[in-house]
Amino acid sequence: MTDRIQRLQELLEEPLLITNPVNVLYLTGFDSSNAALLVEPSRVRLFTDFRYIESAQAVEGVEAVQTARSLITWLTKELDGRIGFEANVLPWSFAEQLRGGGIDLVPRTGLVEQLRAVKEESELELFRQACAITDRMFERLVSEVRFVGRPERDVAWDITRLYHEEGASEESFEAIVGSGPTGARPHARAGDKVIEAGELVVIDTGCVVGGYPSDYTRTLATGELDAEMREAYDVVLAAQQAGLAALRPGVKGVDADAAARGVIESSAFAGTFGHGLGHGLGLDVHEAPRLSTESPDTLAVGNVVTVEPGVYLPGRFGIRIEDDVIVTEDGIENPVRFTKELVTVS
Ligand code: ZN
Ligand code: ZN
């Protein structure tokens, strides 16, 4: 843990007040909804209230300081001088309060997120375990679970149960089960719609091991598909393979996106892939680096990213295929084993 704080200290121009609970967790291992960390060159203070102080005192390499329940009000009185803050996280009203107390606040964005984007081996190992459980969940889902004639939300419940049985601590997010027209809305939740025969069903799901999530998508068929659906599936699969082939250290997020997007844009489904190619995956399911037309990021060894192109035809169907991969010296490691061949379920 202290390694991470040291790497952060090297990036700082002034003390940094960290208020994003996920960043506090990453730097200290301390998990609390009411905590802040002040990182200075030779001193690190962890502020929290009475409810959490005992576990804060057990954190090595930091001074635990007990505050009032209203953390920001307490810090306003106790701190002064020039302090950086997480401008993308701290609410405006809290920043104003700190400034009103005489603190010279400097907005900083993404410093801890920049560290989090490059995973350590111990983090990668948890991520690989989450992928192994997700593979087992998918194998059982397609062989044991009935789709046709059941509402999407019942299949989502089966996914939750299978993760539990396979040893995941929780789901990365509420599973998306989008059948037919529902699948054309990329982030539609599993709803009351009954899954019919001859549809495409987008399943976007993952599970968490030791704080690290997986995030896969497979699109399944419930029986015979029409020619356009089969063609669209092949286009998305080719786009996904082109995206994966483009990944290596030094590649820009925009260029990785373009490699996959080009396949869809030069097909009959041009204009139907409306979101970015992928995102970083870590303590948060969506984090740096991004693979999209607007990404400022460049890939580095140790990044974990998703590759998830899709084709969406409103009112009809959607198709998405998503793997999670680790960027290595010479390309990628892809721990996702579940097949990308079109699987038909009943
Ligand atoms: Zn996903
Ligand atoms: Zn994703």
Side-chain angles (χ1 to χ4, degrees), residues 173 187 204-205 214-217 275-281 285-286 305-308 320 322-324:
F173 47 86
H187 274 187
D204 189 346
T205 176
S214 61
D215 175 10
Y216 291 21
T217 308
H275 57 76
L277 179 65
H279 53 86
L281 199 56
V285 175
H286 293 92
V305 291
T306 69
V307 177
E308 49 179 308
R320 181 164 66 256
E322 176 180 26
D323 285 349
D324 309 334

Side-chain angles (χ1 to χ4, degrees), residues 33 37 129 143 158 245 294:
S33 60
L37 191 71
Q129 289 175 31
S143 60
D158 284 324
E294 298 162 315

Side-chain angles (χ1 to χ4, degrees), residues 1-2 4-5 8 16-39 44-48 52 55-56 59-60 62-63 71 75 86 89 111-113 115-116 212 283-284:
M1 293 303 168
T2 13
R4 295 177 181 174
I5 291 176
L8 177 64
L16 181 67
L17 182 68
I18 293 147
T19 53
N20 177 349
V22 180
N23 287 344
V24 173
L25 173 67
Y26 175 77
L27 291 168
T28 66
F30 179 65
D31 192 0
S32 162
S33 60
N34 194 38
L37 191 71
L38 184 64
V39 178
V44 183
R45 276 176 283 175
L46 176 58
F47 303 102
T48 190
Y52 304 102
S55 27
V59 177
E60 280 177 36
V62 306
E63 295 169 43
L71 193 63
L75 291 173
E86 297 185 293
V89 175
L111 290 168
V112 182
E113 286 82 349
L115 298 177
R116 280 170 48 191
Y212 287 82
L283 290 173
D284 283 318

Side-chain angles (χ1 to χ4, degrees), residues 152 175-193 200-204 217 272 274-275 310-320:
E152 294 163 347
I176 292 170
V177 179
S179 64
T182 317
R185 290 180 277 129
H187 274 187
R189 292 264 167 88
D192 291 322
K193 181 191 167 297
L200 286 159
V201 186
V202 177
I203 310 275
D204 189 346
T217 308
T272 65
H275 57 76
V311 156
Y312 307 96
L313 301 184
R316 297 171 59 205
F317 65 85
I319 296 169
R320 181 164 66 256

Side-chain angles (χ1 to χ4, degrees), residues 226-278:
D226 67 31
E228 187 183 33
M229 290 171 174
R230 288 199 306 272
E231 186 189 347
Y233 191 90
D234 290 343
V235 167
V236 174
L237 182 55
Q240 210 250 357
Q241 280 158 345
L244 292 171
L247 302 187
R248 60 186 171 280
V251 167
K252 293 192 169 69
V254 283
D255 293 331
D257 179 276
R261 192 170 301 279
V263 173
I264 294 171
E265 290 311 305
S266 61
S267 77
F269 303 96
T272 65
F273 173 30
H275 57 76
L277 179 65

